Amino acid sequence: ALDGWYRARAEQEFTAMLERCHQHPRFVRYPRPPLQIRAMRTRWGSLGSRRGMSLNLMLIQAPLTCIEFVVMHELCHLRYHGHGKGFYRLLDSVLPDWRARKATLEELLR
């Protein structure tokens, strides 16, 4: 029952967050990726050309600011597939406080 509640809540929150974040001028030109919610062991999210955006179900336990960080991080992969300098410049421009959000996420959900 708890898993079902988490999934329903995650579907609602993650979809709304993806909609909001995708409206950022840096991402609106790209098609909005389809969203999947999965139980993942080692990642908070991923973005693939076939699957779209996958977010970890357990992310629903995090504050919305942390969820926004993961969604924005994955949306940056629409432009840069790896984690090079360009990727981090883009992430810095769309979410300047991403490092603090990442630290909060890592601390809360160990």
Side-chain angles (χ1 to χ4, degrees):
L2 185 59
D3 186 60
W5 182 86
Y6 276 140
R7 283 194 181 278
R9 186 78 176 144
E11 180 74 32
Q12 180 183 33
E13 292 294 334
F14 296 171
T15 299
M17 185 64 71
L18 177 55
E19 286 292 330
R20 281 194 302 275
C21 292
H22 185 257
Q23 293 306 309
H24 190 283
R26 296 287 188 118
F27 305 125
V28 74
R29 66 181 163 176
Y30 299 101
R32 186 177 66 78
L35 177 65
Q36 288 189 355
I37 300 168
R38 304 180 346 182
M40 295 190 239
R41 292 181 187 200
T42 60
R43 296 178 180 210
W44 294 117
S46 65
L47 185 75
S49 58
R50 291 187 185 162
R51 286 190 131 161
M53 184 180 294
S54 295
L55 296 177
N56 190 326
L57 175 61
M58 299 316 293
L59 189 58
I60 194 61
Q61 297 177 20
L64 288 175
T65 57
C66 294
I67 296 170
E68 182 180 31
F69 156 67
V70 174
V71 171
M72 289 296 239
H73 176 105
E74 297 309 328
L75 286 174
C76 287
H77 285 302
L78 292 172
R79 174 68 178 91
Y80 296 99
H81 296 289
H83 291 110
K85 290 179 183 179
F87 173 87
Y88 286 109
R89 275 195 305 270
L90 177 58
L91 187 56
D92 280 332
S93 74
V94 298
L95 203 65
D97 67 339
W98 69 268
R99 288 173 186 83
R101 294 177 190 220
K102 181 181 180 189
T104 299
L105 180 61
E106 290 172 349
E107 183 65 31
L108 289 176
L109 298 177
R110 285 184 191 216

